[in-house]
Amino acid sequence: MISLPVKEKGMDTNMISELQVGVITQTHGIKGEVKVFPTTDDVSRYRKLKEVIMDTGRERITMEIEGVKFFKQYAIVKFKGYDSINDIEKYKRAKLYVTRDHAVKLQKDEYFIADLVGLNVVTDEGEPFGKMKDVLATGANDVYVVEREDGTEVLLPAIRECVKAVDMEQGQITVHIMAGLV
């Protein structure tokens, strides 16, 4: 089994129908463009997006993407029908989602964070260990944040020596607790 990279970041319930791909941080210029902080591993995936679902906290709007360009780690997005800063300014801090059928295709042993969070974590000896709480991207490898029953957190590297199996049907992750991790 190879290491378990995560392609996109999403919400915190298993097998959700939508995955978060970004957050509007601010407007960009005066022609209706917005600066989007991507919550996906690959900002260039915005080139292929045709639409997103914008969640303002009060409403959810399907937004058609008219154009995309890039600046540093941000995507600069232009939505169809929003042609001035006045049209788009009210959407600062709105979250952007895609439906699961518009999500990137995963390779073998790749999972969305949204699908991992909440799974039971057991040791390779069959003992309950905790629940998957989050995944941290560190650069070298992802780190799984596991919450123990007593509320403490344990950080486990997402490497094949530690993460032995992910069984989505059973809703569990099997891990080998390496010396010094607990």
Side-chain angles (χ1 to χ4, degrees):
M1 184 169 160
I2 62 172
S3 64
L4 305 167
V6 177
K7 283 291 191 184
E8 300 215 31
K9 298 173 184 159
M11 300 187 309
D12 60 356
T13 55
N14 292 344
M15 300 308 289
I16 57 173
S17 61
E18 297 171 353
L19 300 162
Q20 185 178 341
V21 293
V23 178
I24 296 174
T25 60
Q26 61 190 30
T27 58
H28 182 80
I30 61 170
K31 296 184 179 180
E33 293 176 317
V34 291
K35 188 183 285 188
V36 175
F37 178 78
T39 54
T40 177
D41 288 347
D42 182 11
V43 69
S44 67
R45 71 137 15 253
Y46 276 85
R47 283 190 181 105
K48 296 178 183 170
L49 283 178
K50 304 243 185 288
E51 68 179 27
V52 293
I53 300 163
M54 182 170 49
D55 185 348
T56 67
R58 293 184 309 275
E59 61 182 336
R60 296 171 59 78
I61 308 165
T62 299
M63 305 288 280
E64 187 177 342
I65 295 177
E66 185 176 300
V68 176
K69 55 189 175 185
F70 301 97
F71 178 71
K72 297 185 180 177
Q73 78 269 28
Y74 296 96
I76 307 300
V77 178
K78 171 75 172 74
F79 296 113
K80 188 173 186 176
Y82 294 83
D83 298 320
S84 79
I85 191 171
N86 297 329
D87 294 340
I88 202 75
E89 192 169 32
K90 62 185 172 188
Y91 297 123
K92 288 181 191 175
R93 293 180 291 286
K95 295 178 181 176
L96 303 177
Y97 296 90
V98 294
T99 57
R100 193 170 278 274
D101 56 325
H102 288 106
V104 295
K105 303 300 179 224
L106 298 175
Q107 302 296 317
K108 184 179 188 300
D109 294 329
E110 291 182 332
Y111 305 92
F112 294 112
I113 290 174
D115 294 339
L116 295 174
V117 171
L119 294 181
N120 292 315
V121 179
V122 298
T123 68
D124 51 358
E125 297 169 354
E127 297 294 320
F129 188 74
K131 280 217 183 276
M132 178 71 107
K133 183 177 178 184
D134 199 1
V135 177
L136 306 175
T138 64
N141 56 265
D142 290 339
V143 175
Y144 289 180
V145 180
V146 179
E147 186 172 27
R148 305 293 309 268
E149 197 169 294
D150 64 4
T152 60
E153 291 180 354
V154 177
L155 302 178
L156 301 176
I159 57 175
R160 71 186 103 178
E161 293 84 12
C162 187
V163 179
K164 295 300 183 181
V166 176
D167 187 336
M168 297 305 285
E169 288 181 21
Q170 294 288 323
Q172 86 178 18
I173 301 171
T174 303
V175 297
H176 172 73
I177 305 302
M178 299 175 354
L181 290 179
V182 181

